[in-house]
């Protein structure tokens, strides 16, 4: 059968006889496409994309304009030329095709539609109507690209790369900085913010937007809403007058402006970065409306609206609150105690922590880092009044505005930029609001009641149900106070209902198309062309995608409530969600994951939605996190989880092709291989030992860490056979490498790399048993990514070429000092957060710590003497003692070791103290060696230089170090039997010569009770041994 001739409409577009005929053909094509998804696929199969892209490119070349009053700068508009009108029609056609879903967007991107669209964003070269149409089309493309089972394909990355490259990223900045109040400009701002929120999902894009001035421009928009609502701090205008910046004071937002898109875009950029969060708080516009010196002067000349309302708190609290706090309900401001690790299994050591808590720098980098980089030393610094304003907005507004205000507030809280006293207010004022949003229906009290059940309202409710549990999980993670408030608000009940509902079958409705007598019937040739444009990328319906996102968010929220309290874990199990959690561990089969030949569009396909039988990667990761949190309970691990059959699907995920799924599954397996787990033998029989050892050899640091952590649990309380098999499978040489770590990385990380920001960067210990129950915090409900990066090639130099915002050079000294202070803070954060060497060192230290704990558990009972002999024989006792003693020594770094970095010349040598967690892990290896046979204690006592290294550690600031030393003396002065009594006395005499008795006597008045009790035992045994005959 011959192929039918090319339709006249397509021929006219491919070879137009005149501009007017081309424009007429474009309009006819637009009318034929809108609302008919099957016709869109048919036209794309005929090859409509290349001529449309050619029209966009040709018209752009002829229609460039550079007048600053083109896009509303002076509030004027003009009639479009014929070329611009053709360009507008082509943009609308691309947007209409993109409405057909990801299946139709892929051929458009392959035809370089994005490259042709993006230049139309420039408000200095394109009329407002073109900019607006382009933004709408780009948002539609972004929505369509999200309709997939996974993280997207290569076209997604290429699309976002081009969008955030120079000069297009500057076009976004210029749009945001427009001063016009016209409705067109406000729509452009909303669409830019929405586009950023949909596409800014990686660190490099976030950094590119921040460096290009987009974050400052969004902060300026946010400050406009502060001005519009009348929440500028008293005296802010006076300060601006004194600093000579009153002409740059933010203008009030127009009445038609929307707040939630701005907040959503800000949240997308500052996520997982303290640097960008601080950059937003220190943006010039935010500092103008919320000046840090608002209490210094000017108060006598300006009426304080928060004071005259009569809601002001007692005078003794005025110094602790900013004026906006005065209108918030009063809550207890006591600082809550640090979250204790509930249950009988406290963590053995720390892991790679994400952002969060007021002491982020100390927990992430150590005291030596703070001192060397000059990072903020006052952890109790005053928080920005923006925090209180966001709380007020979350309480006063509804819907998406409330959700996005809570989102930005949560991100700032997780970045450690809220006061420690703020947690009580979050527990009482924000957590109940988030819980209420889980099942809240659209309000019928809106200004326009007809919108209560409109399409926009339905979409907003879908977004709320998808994101509210995620923000809730991020907020309450690691805080017992917030978790208690959430449970009191019935969060577990609502989340359980949401998870169950997310597994309800979807109605099967196929896409319909009105009959048109003028449209020719689809021929076999046209059908063939339609099928040919369908890619192999997995495509799903919007309803199914919503289900998956709800599953992910609710699973993360349940996991965030389960880490500390066994009571909460039992409540989750009693809610009946266990079968749904197990179902969430089931991925797509190979056939299901790639079966995308049934076009779905925006509604489910007429054929059975076969992808409902599995879950995408992000749901699998969330389910693994929930299992990990629930398995902290011994009773649940022994009953509900084993009855639900969680072991086999979780074990299968260890071999999932997705790296993040492997990491999450390995983290969950940690708790299933403990000695009291009834699943331990079954998992061992399934071959988990070999898989974990393979993961321990991974080049991915996070997977390597989780694998070593799981192996540490696996060998605890195991017999010698399992322990030896584990060492042999892991490899003795690799074990030595894990213990030693990467000394070069550790050394290089000791100096700040001044060019790091320009490079491309892709807990307490138990005393004797040494076992820990695995715990990781959720960060953004997923694993954190803390490295800001710059995109390569055309993104280099964005910071230097960024458009000027409200931050210009001031003439006043106070203004210069204020700018200098803000720049100094950002410089300190930038040096730490963008330094790839620090991340490498942190990862390396975490793996070293778990490797030391692994060897510690190897030489624990049972068969501890056998395993000590095994390690000494195969690895060599001198080598083991050298490795362990090296963990206790400070490292001296000389500048001449930095041959690759000439800028380091002239820097004085530095002494890097070992991390307390590493010291504790190494000391407990000595403790367990001393708990072996008498010959092992004698061998340890022969290491005189090693024992001398322990002397200064008795005055260490970390109580766990001092406690471990007391345990070491207890074991060294232990007497096995009568034959060992003489050896014990000689050991005690040698310890006294080294000064250990005097050092122990100094610990008798230690501030920590546990240290004092262990010290009493150690002194008693030493004195008894010395007095023995």
């Amino acid at each position: 059968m011959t192929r039918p001739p090319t339709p006249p409409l397509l021929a006219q577009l491919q070879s137009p006889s005149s501009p007017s005929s081309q424009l007429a053909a474009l309009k006819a094509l637009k009318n034929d496409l809108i609302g008919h998804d099957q016709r869109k696929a048919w036209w794309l199969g005929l090859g409509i994309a290349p001529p449309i892209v050619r029209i966009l490119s040709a018209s752009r070349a002829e229609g460039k304009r550079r007048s600053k009053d083109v896009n509303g700068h002076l509030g004027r508009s003009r009639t479009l030329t014929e070329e611009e009108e053709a360009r507008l029609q082509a943009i609308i056609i691309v947007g209409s095709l993109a409405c057909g879903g990801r299946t139709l967007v892929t051929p458009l991107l392959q035809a370089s539609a994005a490259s042709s669209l993006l230049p139309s964003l420039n408000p200095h070269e394109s009329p407002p109507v073109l900019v607006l149409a382009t933004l709408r089309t780009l948002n539609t493309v972004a929505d369509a690209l999200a309709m997939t089972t996974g993280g997207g394909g290569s076209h997604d990355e290429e699309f976002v790369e081009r969008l955030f490259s120079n000069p297009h990223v500057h076009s976004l900045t210029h749009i945001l900085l427009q001063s016009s109040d016209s409705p067109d400009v406000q729509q452009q701002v909303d669409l830019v913010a929405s586009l950023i929120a949909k596409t800014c999902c990686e660190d490099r894009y976030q950094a590119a937007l921040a460096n290009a001035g987009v974050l400052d421009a969004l902060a300026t928009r946010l400050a406009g809403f502060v001005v519009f609502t009348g929440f500028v701090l008293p005296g802010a205008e006076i300060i601006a007058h004194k600093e000579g910046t009153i002409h740059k004071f933010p203008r009030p937002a127009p009445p038609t402006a929307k707040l939630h898109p701005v907040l959503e875009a800000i949240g997308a950029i500052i996520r997982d970065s303290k640097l960008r969060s601080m950059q937003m708080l220190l943006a010039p516009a935010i500092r103008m409306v919320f000046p840090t010196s608002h209490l210094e002067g000017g108060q006598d000349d300006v009426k304080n609206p928060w004071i005259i309302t009569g809601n002001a708190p007692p005078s003794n609290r005025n110094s602790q609150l900013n004026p906006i706090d005065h209108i918030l309900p009063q809550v207890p401001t006591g600082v809550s105690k640090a979250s204790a690790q509930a249950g009988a299994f406290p963590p053995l050591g720390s892991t790679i922590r994400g952002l969060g808590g007021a002491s982020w720098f100390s927990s992430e980098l150590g005291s030596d880092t703070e001192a060397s980089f000059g990072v903020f030393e006052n952890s109790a610094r005053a928080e920005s009044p923006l925090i209180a304003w966001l709380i007020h907005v979350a309480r006063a507004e509804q819907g998406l505005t409330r959700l996005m205000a809570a989102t930005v507030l949560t991100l700032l809280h997780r970045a450690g930029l809220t006061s420690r006293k703020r947690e009580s207010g979050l527990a009482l004022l924000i957590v109940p609001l988030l819980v209420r949003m889980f099942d809240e229906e659209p309000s019928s009290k809106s200004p326009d009641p007809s919108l209560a059940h409109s399409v926009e309202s339905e979409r907003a409710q879908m977004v709320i149900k998808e994101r509210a549990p995620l923000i809730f999980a991020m907020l309450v993670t690691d805080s017992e106070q917030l978790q208690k408030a959430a449970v009191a608000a019935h969060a577990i009940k609502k989340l359980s209902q949401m998870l169950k509902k997310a597994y309800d079958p979807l109605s099967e409705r196929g896409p319909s198309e009105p009959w048109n007598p003028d449209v020719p019937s689809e021929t076999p040739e046209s059908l063939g062309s339609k099928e040919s444009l369908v890619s192999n990328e997995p495509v799903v319906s919007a309803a199914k995608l919503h289900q998956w996102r709800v599953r992910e968010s609710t699973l993360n929220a349940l996991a965030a409530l389960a880490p500390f309290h066994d009571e909460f874990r039992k409540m989750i199990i009693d809610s009946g969600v266990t079968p749904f959690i197990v179902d969430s561990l089931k991925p797509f089969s190979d056939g299901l994951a790639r079966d995308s030949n049934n076009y779905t569009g925006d509604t489910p396909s007429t054929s059975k939605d076969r992808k409902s039988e599995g879950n995408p990667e992000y749901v699998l990761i969330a389910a693994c996190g929930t299992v990990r949190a629930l398995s902290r309970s011994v009773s649940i691990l022994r009953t509900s989880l084993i009855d639900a059959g969680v072991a086999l699907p979780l074990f299968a995920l260890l071999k999932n092709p997705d790296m993040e799924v492997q990491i999450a599954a390995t983290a969950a397996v940690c708790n299933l291989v403990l000695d009291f787990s009834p699943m331990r033998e079954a998992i061992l029989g399934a071959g988990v030992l070999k898989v974990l050892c393979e993961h321990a050899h991974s080049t991915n640091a996070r997977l390597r860490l989780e694998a070593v952590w799981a192996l540490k649990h696996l060998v605890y309380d195991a017999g010698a056979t399992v322990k030896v098999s584990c060492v042999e499978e892991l490899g003795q040489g690799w074990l030595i490498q894990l213990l030693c770590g990467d000394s070069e990385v550790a050394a290089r990380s000791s100096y700040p790399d001044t060019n790091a920001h320009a490079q491309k960067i892709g807990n307490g210990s138990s005393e004797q048993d040494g076992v820990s129950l695995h715990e990781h915090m959720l960060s953004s409900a997923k694993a954190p990514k803390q490295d800001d990066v710059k995109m390569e090639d055309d993104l280099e130099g964005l910071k230097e070429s960024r458009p000027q915002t409200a931050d210009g050079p001031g003439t006043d000294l106070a203004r210069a000092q204020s700018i200098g202070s803000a720049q100094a803070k950002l410089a300190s954060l930038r040096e730490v957060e963008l330094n790839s060497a620090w991340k490498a060192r942190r990862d390396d230290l975490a793996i070293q710590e778990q490797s030391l704990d692994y060897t510690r558990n190897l030489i624990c009972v049972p068969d501890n003497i056998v395993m000590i002999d095994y390690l000494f024989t195969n690895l060599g006792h001198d080598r083991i003692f050298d490795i362990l003693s090296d963990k206790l020594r400070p490292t001296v770094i000389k500048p001449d070791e930095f041959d690759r970095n000439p800028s380091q010349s002239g820097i004085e040598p530095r002494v890097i103290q070992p991390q307390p967690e590493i010291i504790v892990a190494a000391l407990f290896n000595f403790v367990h060696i001393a708990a072996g046979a008498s010959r092992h204690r004698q061998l340890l006592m022969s290491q005189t230089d090693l024992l001398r290294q322990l002397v200064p550690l008795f005055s260490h600031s970390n109580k766990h170090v001092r406690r471990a030393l007391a345990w070491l003396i207890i074991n060294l002065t232990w007497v096995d039997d009568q034959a060992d009594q003489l050896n014990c006395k000689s050991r005690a005499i040698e310890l006294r010569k080294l000064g250990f008795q005097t050092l122990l006597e100094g610990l008798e008045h230690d501030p920590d009770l546990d240290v004092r009790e262990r010290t009493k035992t150690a002194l008693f045994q030493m004195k008894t041994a010395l007095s023995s005959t």
Side-chain angles (χ1 to χ4, degrees):
M1 183 179 292
T2 59
R3 188 177 183 86
T6 302
L9 196 59
L10 179 59
Q12 186 62 243
L13 291 175
Q14 292 174 337
S15 302
S17 58
S18 65
S20 59
S21 63
Q22 177 181 265
L23 180 59
L26 286 171
K27 291 182 178 180
L29 177 62
K30 177 189 68 174
N31 295 333
D32 189 45
L33 291 176
I34 292 178
H36 304 290
D37 289 341
Q38 293 178 354
R39 298 292 296 170
K40 295 173 185 177
W42 184 73
W43 276 108
L44 279 173
L46 292 176
I48 196 64
I52 294 297
V53 172
R54 186 168 58 253
I55 291 171
L56 286 171
S57 303
S59 298
R60 184 180 73 250
E62 298 176 6
K64 280 191 173 182
R65 293 176 55 89
R66 297 187 178 275
S67 174
K68 286 190 176 181
D69 64 340
V70 167
N71 193 25
H73 288 270
L74 299 178
R76 295 202 300 259
S77 183
R78 63 177 178 82
T79 303
L80 297 179
T81 64
E82 200 167 50
E83 291 80 4
E84 290 171 341
E85 182 65 33
R87 193 165 143 206
L88 174 63
Q89 296 300 321
I91 293 172
I92 295 175
I93 288 172
V94 173
S96 177
L97 291 171
C99 288
R102 186 185 181 93
T103 309
L104 304 186
V105 165
T106 300
L108 289 173
L109 296 181
Q110 291 174 341
S112 302
S115 303
S116 302
L117 279 172
L118 291 174
S120 299
L121 287 175
N122 193 330
H124 298 319
E125 297 178 355
S126 302
V129 64
L130 284 183
V131 176
L132 193 59
T134 302
L135 287 170
R136 287 171 176 162
T137 297
L138 291 175
N139 272 273
T140 305
V141 171
D143 290 334
L145 291 176
M147 308 296 290
T148 178
T149 61
S154 59
H155 299 301
D156 304 42
E157 185 175 353
E158 181 182 356
F159 171 72
V160 182
E161 285 272 4
R162 291 184 179 277
L163 176 62
F164 294 146
S165 63
N166 192 16
H168 309 309
V169 68
H170 292 309
S171 297
L172 302 179
T173 308
H174 288 302
I175 294 173
L176 292 172
L177 290 176
Q178 294 176 102
S179 58
S180 173
D181 293 345
S182 68
D184 283 348
V185 170
Q186 296 310 311
Q187 289 184 56
Q188 292 175 19
V189 171
D190 293 343
L191 289 171
V192 166
S194 179
L195 184 61
I196 291 172
K198 294 172 183 176
T199 55
C200 187
C201 302
E202 294 185 18
D203 286 340
R204 52 178 177 159
Y205 304 138
Q206 295 167 328
L209 292 175
N211 294 333
V214 174
L215 182 57
D216 285 351
L218 289 169
T220 301
R221 287 284 170 182
L222 183 63
F225 287 97
V226 176
V227 177
F228 175 75
T229 54
F231 278 86
V232 178
L233 292 190
E237 294 88 347
I238 296 177
I239 295 175
H241 275 292
K242 290 181 179 180
E243 295 181 350
T245 58
I246 189 63
H247 62 287
K248 298 179 180 179
F249 204 83
R251 300 174 66 254
T256 58
K258 298 179 182 178
L259 175 58
H260 71 82
V262 175
L263 290 172
E264 186 178 14
I266 289 175
I269 297 176
I270 70 173
R271 184 181 60 250
D272 299 332
S273 172
K274 186 168 186 174
L275 169 63
R276 295 189 293 270
S277 299
M278 181 65 79
Q279 184 176 340
M280 189 270 293
L281 293 179
L282 295 179
I286 298 297
R287 286 190 284 117
M288 285 185 182
V289 296
F290 294 138
T292 55
S293 56
H294 69 276
L295 296 179
E296 300 176 4
Q299 295 298 313
D300 296 335
D301 302 324
V302 181
K303 291 184 178 181
N304 189 333
W306 294 280
I307 298 296
I308 63 176
T309 57
N311 294 329
S315 59
N316 62 343
R317 293 180 56 206
N318 286 343
S319 61
Q320 303 175 9
L321 301 175
N322 63 71
I324 301 180
D325 275 305
H326 296 171
I327 65 172
L328 297 178
Q330 298 184 32
V331 296
T333 57
V335 181
S336 61
K337 296 182 179 179
S339 298
Q341 306 298 330
F345 309 98
L348 179 61
S350 62
T351 180
I352 300 178
R353 299 179 179 87
L355 300 180
S359 58
W360 176 75
F361 279 112
S362 59
S363 63
E364 284 286 318
L365 303 169
S367 57
D368 60 324
T369 308
E370 292 194 44
S372 61
F373 285 137
V375 182
F376 319 113
E377 299 178 358
N378 182 16
S379 60
R381 60 187 178 275
E383 68 176 17
S384 169
L386 180 65
I387 303 297
W389 183 78
L390 289 172
I391 295 177
H392 169 76
V393 172
R395 288 175 50 81
E397 300 293 336
Q398 294 181 350
L400 288 177
T401 304
R402 169 178 290 178
L403 177 65
M404 298 310 164
T407 299
V408 177
L409 175 65
T410 299
L411 292 171
L412 296 176
H413 176 68
R414 295 298 300 170
L417 298 178
T418 57
S419 170
R420 295 181 180 179
K421 300 178 181 180
R422 180 64 68 182
E423 193 167 85
S424 299
L426 297 177
L428 296 176
L429 302 179
I430 298 300
V431 171
L433 289 179
L434 286 173
V435 175
R436 189 188 307 168
M437 298 182 77
F438 293 166
D439 57 359
E440 191 174 38
E441 297 298 329
S443 175
S444 59
K445 299 180 180 180
S446 59
D448 186 0
S450 63
L451 295 178
H453 300 287
S454 64
V455 175
E456 291 77 8
S457 178
E458 292 179 2
R459 291 179 179 175
Q461 286 304 306
M462 291 177 66
V463 172
I464 291 172
K465 291 184 183 298
E466 292 170 4
R467 299 190 188 180
L470 278 177
I471 301 306
F472 167 86
M474 193 187 309
L475 180 61
V476 305
T477 295
D478 296 337
S479 172
E480 286 190 73
Q481 185 177 10
L482 298 182
Q483 291 168 15
K484 291 178 180 178
V487 173
H490 308 291
I492 293 178
K493 178 181 178 181
K494 293 185 177 183
L495 290 169
S496 301
Q497 293 173 348
M498 290 179 66
L499 180 59
K500 294 175 183 178
K501 190 174 181 180
Y503 276 92
D504 290 345
L506 297 174
S507 59
E508 298 185 355
R509 295 183 296 108
S512 59
E513 178 180 11
W515 176 75
N516 188 340
D518 298 327
V519 176
S521 302
E522 292 183 326
T523 65
E525 291 78 4
S526 66
L527 287 175
S529 62
K530 172 184 173 182
E531 295 296 330
S532 65
L533 64 90
V534 178
S535 67
N536 290 325
E537 297 176 277
V539 183
V540 295
S541 65
K544 175 54 65 177
L545 187 64
H546 173 65
Q547 273 196 339
W548 285 337
R549 288 172 175 172
V550 172
R551 292 178 194 176
E552 177 201 18
S553 62
T554 52
L555 287 168
N556 279 322
L558 290 172
L561 293 172
F564 300 141
H565 289 279
D566 200 40
E567 176 187 359
F568 296 168
R569 291 189 282 266
K570 291 180 179 178
M571 292 174 64
I572 294 174
I573 295 297
D574 292 341
S575 66
V577 296
T578 308
F580 299 94
I581 295 175
V582 176
D583 287 342
S584 300
L585 292 171
K586 299 176 182 178
F588 303 126
S589 64
D590 292 340
L592 294 178
R594 295 298 172 187
D595 181 18
S596 60
N597 291 329
N598 291 325
Y599 166 69
T600 55
D602 290 331
T603 57
S605 174
T606 53
S607 62
K608 182 179 179 181
D609 194 352
R610 295 166 60 190
K611 296 184 182 63
S612 62
E613 300 175 16
N615 296 278
E617 285 79 5
Y618 49 85
V619 176
L620 302 177
I621 294 171
C624 289
T626 308
V627 172
R628 183 188 68 226
L630 293 176
S631 60
R632 289 179 59 87
S633 170
V634 179
S635 60
I636 292 175
L637 189 60
R638 288 180 177 272
T639 56
S640 301
L641 292 182
I642 191 173
D643 292 342
V646 72
L648 292 181
L650 190 60
F651 177 76
L653 294 181
L654 291 174
K655 302 179 181 180
N656 191 281
D658 186 86
M659 180 64 69
E660 294 298 323
V661 175
Q662 290 184 26
I663 294 172
T666 307
V669 165
C670 279
N671 290 349
L672 303 186
V673 296
L674 286 165
D675 60 308
F676 54 77
S677 171
M679 309 178 201
R680 183 177 190 173
E681 296 302 325
I683 295 179
L684 274 173
V688 71
L689 178 59
K690 182 178 180 179
V691 176
L692 292 178
C693 289
E694 291 175 354
H695 288 351
H697 286 76
S698 173
T699 56
N700 185 289
R702 290 175 55 210
L703 181 59
R704 197 160 66 249
L705 172 66
E706 300 294 352
V708 175
W709 202 319
L711 289 173
K712 175 189 71 176
H713 286 181
L714 182 63
V715 300
Y716 173 71
D717 204 28
T721 303
V722 175
K723 292 180 179 180
V724 171
S725 299
C726 187
V727 175
E728 295 296 333
E729 186 69 39
L730 182 64
Q732 298 174 8
W734 188 251
L735 175 58
I736 293 295
Q737 185 171 341
L738 290 174
L739 291 170
C740 294
D742 191 344
S743 57
E744 182 180 358
V745 170
R748 292 188 178 277
S749 64
S750 302
Y751 274 95
D753 184 357
T754 55
N755 296 321
H757 63 279
Q759 298 174 354
K760 182 181 178 182
I761 306 173
N763 296 343
S765 303
S766 59
E767 295 166 0
Q768 289 182 322
D769 54 336
V771 68
S772 72
L773 201 61
H774 180 56
E775 176 195 3
H776 282 163
M777 74 172 197
L778 292 169
S779 183
S780 307
K782 292 183 179 179
K785 297 180 179 179
Q786 304 167 12
D787 297 345
D788 276 309
V789 294
K790 277 197 174 183
M791 298 169 63
E792 55 184 335
D793 300 331
D794 50 1
L795 289 185
E796 295 293 344
L798 282 178
K799 187 175 182 180
E800 290 73 15
S801 61
R802 57 188 285 185
Q804 293 296 319
T805 60
D807 192 8
T811 58
D812 189 82
L813 178 61
R815 168 67 173 168
Q817 292 175 343
S818 176
I819 295 176
S821 176
Q823 291 177 344
K825 292 179 181 179
L826 291 176
S828 299
L829 281 169
R830 185 176 293 108
E831 192 58 67
V832 174
E833 191 167 316
L834 303 186
N835 195 328
S836 60
W838 276 113
K839 182 180 185 297
R841 183 190 184 212
R842 184 174 61 247
D843 294 345
D844 185 61
L845 290 177
I847 294 172
Q848 286 186 51
E849 180 189 352
Q850 295 307 314
S851 300
L852 289 168
D853 291 337
Y854 166 73
T855 59
R856 170 185 175 178
N857 284 357
L858 281 175
I859 57 179
C860 277
V861 292
D863 301 327
N864 58 323
I865 296 177
V866 174
M867 289 306 301
I868 295 174
D869 290 334
Y870 172 81
L871 292 180
F872 281 179
T873 301
N874 289 274
L875 303 182
H877 61 81
D878 289 334
R879 191 176 191 182
I880 291 177
F881 284 137
D882 286 344
I883 292 174
L884 294 177
S885 61
D886 185 64
K887 306 302 177 185
L888 308 178
R889 297 191 191 103
T891 303
V892 179
I893 307 300
K894 299 179 181 179
D896 56 10
E897 296 182 21
F898 294 85
D899 298 332
R900 302 179 191 174
N901 195 349
S903 64
Q904 302 294 346
S905 60
I907 299 180
E908 294 295 328
R910 286 189 55 215
V911 177
I912 305 300
Q913 297 297 331
Q915 295 295 311
E917 295 82 3
I918 299 295
I919 297 176
V920 172
L923 287 176
F924 270 107
N925 275 270
F926 293 134
V927 169
H928 288 297
I929 292 174
S934 177
R935 62 180 182 277
H936 300 142
R937 290 190 284 275
Q938 291 299 116
L939 186 60
L940 182 56
M941 286 300 302
S942 66
Q943 308 294 319
T944 307
D945 292 338
L946 187 154
L947 294 175
R948 288 196 179 100
Q949 282 184 250
L950 303 180
V951 172
L953 297 179
F954 276 84
S955 58
H956 199 281
S957 59
N958 190 291
K959 64 180 180 180
H960 301 297
V961 174
R962 304 193 301 273
R963 186 184 63 176
L965 291 168
W967 271 110
L968 179 58
I969 303 302
I970 290 173
N971 286 356
L972 287 174
T973 56
W974 181 262
V975 181
D976 282 336
D977 49 35
Q978 189 67 26
D980 188 39
Q981 190 168 1
L982 185 60
N983 289 332
C984 181
K985 183 174 182 178
S986 66
R987 294 194 297 268
I989 293 174
E990 183 65 23
L991 289 173
R992 183 174 62 181
K993 289 181 181 179
L994 294 172
F996 281 86
Q997 183 175 359
T998 303
L999 293 170
L1000 284 173
E1001 290 172 351
L1003 294 182
E1004 286 187 296
H1005 304 288
D1006 193 274
D1008 184 72
L1009 175 62
D1010 197 12
V1011 174
R1012 294 198 303 269
E1013 293 300 317
R1014 302 291 80 76
T1015 300
K1016 290 178 183 179
T1017 304
L1019 280 173
F1020 173 78
Q1021 290 187 187
M1022 178 176 285
K1023 292 177 180 179
T1024 301
L1026 290 171
S1027 61
S1028 63
T1029 58

